């Protein structure tokens, strides 16, 4: 069901601000974390800024390998997404424990998340603000999505486990992409 | 109706990824733009990263004055928010043309937007990634919100004038702030 997504479409997945998952792999061990602090920086090639705390187990893997996958979960995964955020890859294999499927794509080292409706393979392209702010800039090099991704409902974190779920869509005449 | 908001609460407004307005002032002339590319960088003091394109009229004001206000509009302002994005402060006084109210707060130079349910006074604290990525890091120094801000519905841009409107809220046991 997963098909390649044109890179020029990637911003339409992240600009709305959904909670996403971020996967990394280090020494053969895949890990996944929950992330809400991300934004688009450029349309194409798509650049994404994100904050991965140096307290997060994923920080070392991201810094060392400069590779990650951003996976976009639909609202139906909300409980698993929160569970991912409530434990650490230091202690558990989160994919196995939480029943998420690591999917290997050719040429991409961190796993995609099989249950997510979109996956973005990224490499770190800018690290000047990592030391002070834990802020990475990523380039999305490959993207995949399931049919109907444009209207999938996502979740948006409002603090302390409260999430707004996408409701209806409105369309207004905009000159902006 | 507007009251001071504790700075530790600011992330709850921006982390969900709403479309916001950004105001600046230069040579006595206030301006306002629409912005979707922003993210939290730190809880407290609240730090926010954002992209303001060097093509935007606001870029020069932000660079020169290092001051802006981020205003959060509810869904009822959606048409005005898109109209703000469809014209340039080079050509029009957007506040007057679009019927938005610039509000002066003591000690804050850019105007708040009277119609928005939350307003965040910011100063630029990091510019190393401006030249290459148009990426600014802001510190929120003062914040205001209307009562009930926690449940106001916002809009999230999915590209080409399509917006997801917040629907219901869900609450899940999270260890994360």
């Amino acid at each position: 069901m997963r098909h390649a997504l044109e890179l020029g479409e990637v911003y339409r997945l992240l600009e709305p601000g959904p909670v996403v998952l971020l996967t990394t792999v280090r020494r053969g061990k895949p890990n996944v974390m929950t992330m809400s602090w991300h934004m688009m920086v450029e349309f194409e090639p798509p650049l994404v800024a994100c904050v991965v705390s140096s307290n997060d187990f994923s920080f070392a893997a991201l810094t060392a390998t400069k590779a990650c996958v951003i996976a976009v979960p639909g609202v139906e995964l909300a409980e698993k997404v929160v569970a991912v955020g409530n434990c650490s890859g230091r202690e558990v294999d989160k994919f196995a424990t939480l029943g998420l499927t690591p999917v290997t794509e050719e040429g991409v080292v961190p796993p995609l998340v099989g249950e997510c409706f979109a996956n973005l393979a990224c490499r770190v392209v800018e690290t000047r603000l990592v030391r002070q702010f834990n802020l990475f800039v990523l380039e999305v090099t490959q993207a995949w999505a399931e049919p109907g991704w444009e209207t999938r409902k996502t979740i948006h974190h409002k603090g302390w486990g409260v999430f707004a779920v996408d409701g209806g869509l409105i369309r207004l005449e905009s000159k902006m992409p």
Side-chain angles (χ1 to χ4, degrees), chain A residues 132-154:
Chain A
Q132 191 174 355
F133 298 109
N134 294 326
L135 188 158
F136 296 82
V137 180
L138 314 173
E139 178 181 341
V140 180
T141 54
Q142 286 181 269
W144 302 267
E146 293 179 359
W149 63 270
E150 302 93 331
T151 55
R152 290 288 290 268
K153 291 186 191 300
T154 59

Side-chain angles (χ1 to χ4, degrees), chain A residues 5 9-18 72 117-118 120 144-145 149:
Chain A
L5 183 71
E9 300 276 58
V10 163
Y11 79 97
R12 297 175 58 195
L13 287 160
L14 297 186
E15 185 168 323
V72 187
F117 71 84
L120 313 172
W144 302 267
W149 63 270

Side-chain angles (χ1 to χ4, degrees), chain A residues 13-168:
Chain A
L13 287 160
L14 297 186
E15 185 168 323
V19 179
V20 298
L21 300 177
L22 184 131
T23 81
T24 49
V25 66
R26 195 175 185 202
R27 297 179 186 134
K29 190 178 167 188
N31 190 28
V32 56
M33 63 174 274
T34 299
M35 182 170 79
S36 262
W37 290 6
H38 61 77
M39 68 173 178
M40 292 304 303
V41 172
E42 186 53 87
F43 289 107
E44 196 169 2
L47 300 179
V48 178
C50 67
V51 175
V52 174
S53 167
S54 53
N55 297 322
D56 291 323
F57 186 60
S58 303
F59 181 88
L62 185 61
T63 305
T65 67
K66 294 191 181 296
C68 63
V69 165
I70 294 174
V72 187
V75 59
E76 71 283 355
L77 286 180
E79 287 190 29
K80 287 196 181 187
V81 168
V82 172
V84 166
N86 282 346
C87 60
S88 170
R90 277 184 198 90
E91 285 123 34
V92 292
D93 175 345
K94 296 206 229 181
F95 279 98
T97 307
L98 300 171
L100 292 169
T101 311
V103 173
T104 304
E105 272 283 348
E106 199 181 327
V108 179
V109 175
L112 281 57
V113 180
E115 288 75 11
C116 286
F117 71 84
N119 282 273
L120 313 172
C122 305
R123 63 187 184 91
V124 175
V125 293
E126 170 60 54
T127 58
R128 270 176 285 173
L129 298 193
V130 170
R131 185 184 299 261
Q132 191 174 355
F133 298 109
N134 294 326
L135 188 158
F136 296 82
V137 180
L138 314 173
E139 178 181 341
V140 180
T141 54
Q142 286 181 269
W144 302 267
E146 293 179 359
W149 63 270
E150 302 93 331
T151 55
R152 290 288 290 268
K153 291 186 191 300
T154 59
I155 59 172
H156 305 261
H157 190 224
K158 294 168 74 78
W160 301 109
V162 175
F163 299 83
V165 182
D166 289 342

